[in-house]
Amino acid sequence: MRTWLLICLSCLVLGWSFPAIAVSSANPKLEQQVLQILREHPEVIIESVQKFEQQQQQKLQQTRQVFLQDLKTNTQLVIGDSPTIGSPQSKIVLVEFSDFQCPYCAEAHKTLKQLLTKYPNKFTLVYKHFPLIPIHDQALPAAKAAWAAYQQGKFWEYHDALFTHQQQLSEDLYLSTAKSLNLDVEKFKTDAFGVNPIAEQAISKDIQLAEKLGLGGTPFFIMNSNNFSGVVQLSKIESLLANAQSEGIGHQ
């Protein structure tokens, strides 16, 4: 029964997926039979959906494990061309996926600034762009502007300015910030907003990575150290850094 139902359901779905074909080949009697069986045996579909979700979850976990392994054994591969700040010699790497228009990211920015001040030589912060384009209309333009500033060595200064003035995100802010940081404005405009800007290509790589890892929102943190590896909440980061620092002192 289950096998027959799945075969019929597949035929029905194909018919619905290709309406031009369905007009001439769909069998109304078959449709009614399948729908009747679905009403009588909904557990068949539920089991199929659950199995599919389990397979997707397993695939996601495998992808994240590969990422964590690369973060541990081939850190530079994970960092790539992304901006970093903190101690380049530290074995503790914190990867942040962020959106300049996300209010939660703005709050996280304040906390991270405090942690960088408190633990200046304890970890490396890696910034990855994950603009939530469907809900934040200025997320991608802001990311492109920050990337353009990065090309002139001023990413973190520009990054701080965008979060500080998050309520004013606009082209006027992007240009005025570039001028205030003494950037080459013409190069900045070309890099960020020119025809086929390289900035968008670079940011798309971060977005693809975020989607591959199954990220559902921002900010999102992944951390790797001697005693921790994986997704971490912002509220837990300081305790992990403090523990790592005490362990380092203990071994001196």
Side-chain angles (χ1 to χ4, degrees):
M1 172 66 73
R2 180 179 283 103
T3 302
W4 184 84
L5 173 58
L6 292 176
I7 292 173
C8 291
L9 182 61
S10 298
C11 294
L12 184 58
V13 169
L14 287 174
W16 287 338
S17 301
F18 302 96
I21 299 175
V23 169
S24 59
S25 62
N27 186 327
K29 185 176 180 179
L30 175 61
E31 289 185 17
Q32 290 302 316
Q33 289 176 330
V34 171
L35 291 173
Q36 180 62 32
I37 294 172
L38 288 177
R39 284 191 288 267
E40 295 175 356
H41 303 280
E43 71 278 359
V44 176
I45 298 303
I46 294 173
E47 289 175 8
S48 297
V49 171
Q50 289 176 338
K51 183 176 181 181
F52 175 77
E53 290 178 343
Q54 289 173 356
Q55 291 173 340
Q56 292 300 105
Q57 191 61 33
Q58 289 173 355
K59 183 178 179 180
L60 175 59
Q61 290 302 322
Q62 291 173 354
T63 299
R64 289 185 174 182
Q65 287 302 318
V66 170
F67 178 84
L68 288 173
Q69 185 61 32
D70 286 340
L71 185 59
K72 183 177 181 180
T73 61
N74 197 347
T75 307
Q76 193 53 51
L77 176 66
V78 173
I79 294 175
D81 295 326
S82 297
T84 63
I85 193 171
S87 173
Q89 288 79 34
S90 176
K91 293 183 180 180
I92 302 176
V93 179
L94 177 63
V95 181
E96 174 192 16
F97 288 85
S98 185
D99 172 333
F100 285 111
Q101 200 173 355
C102 167
Y104 302 107
C105 294
E107 289 302 313
H109 163 251
K110 297 175 184 177
T111 302
L112 290 171
K113 289 278 286 184
Q114 294 171 356
L115 293 176
L116 286 166
T117 299
K118 189 171 183 178
Y119 304 98
N121 301 312
K122 203 62 202 172
F123 70 106
T124 300
L125 175 63
V126 182
Y127 189 95
K128 297 284 186 182
H129 295 280
F130 189 26
L132 304 179
I133 299 171
I135 60 174
H136 293 152
D137 63 333
Q138 286 298 316
L140 182 57
K144 292 193 291 185
W147 186 90
Y150 181 39
Q151 304 315 297
Q152 299 188 46
K154 292 293 182 70
F155 173 81
W156 293 103
E157 295 89 338
Y158 202 95
H159 158 281
D160 291 351
L162 290 180
F163 278 127
T164 300
H165 303 287
Q166 189 180 65
Q167 299 304 315
Q168 290 83 47
L169 293 179
S170 64
E171 186 171 342
D172 287 343
L173 176 66
Y174 307 143
L175 291 175
S176 64
T177 302
K179 292 175 183 177
S180 69
L181 293 175
N182 296 317
L183 301 184
D184 180 332
V185 176
E186 290 307 313
K187 174 175 170 50
F188 171 85
K189 290 193 292 187
T190 299
D191 287 345
F193 308 115
V195 178
N196 297 320
I198 301 175
E200 196 160 333
Q201 299 174 29
I203 292 165
S204 69
K205 292 181 180 179
D206 286 354
I207 294 175
Q208 290 169 13
L209 175 60
E211 292 175 345
K212 183 179 178 181
L213 293 172
L215 276 57
T218 54
F220 194 93
F221 299 96
I222 301 176
M223 187 174 180
N224 194 67
S225 68
N226 290 332
N227 60 355
F228 180 86
S229 184
V231 176
V232 61
Q233 297 297 317
L234 182 62
S235 59
K236 300 291 184 182
I237 293 174
E238 182 168 14
S239 63
L240 290 170
L241 291 174
N243 289 339
Q245 185 176 48
S246 63
E247 288 176 3
I249 294 173
H251 285 87
Q252 287 179 352

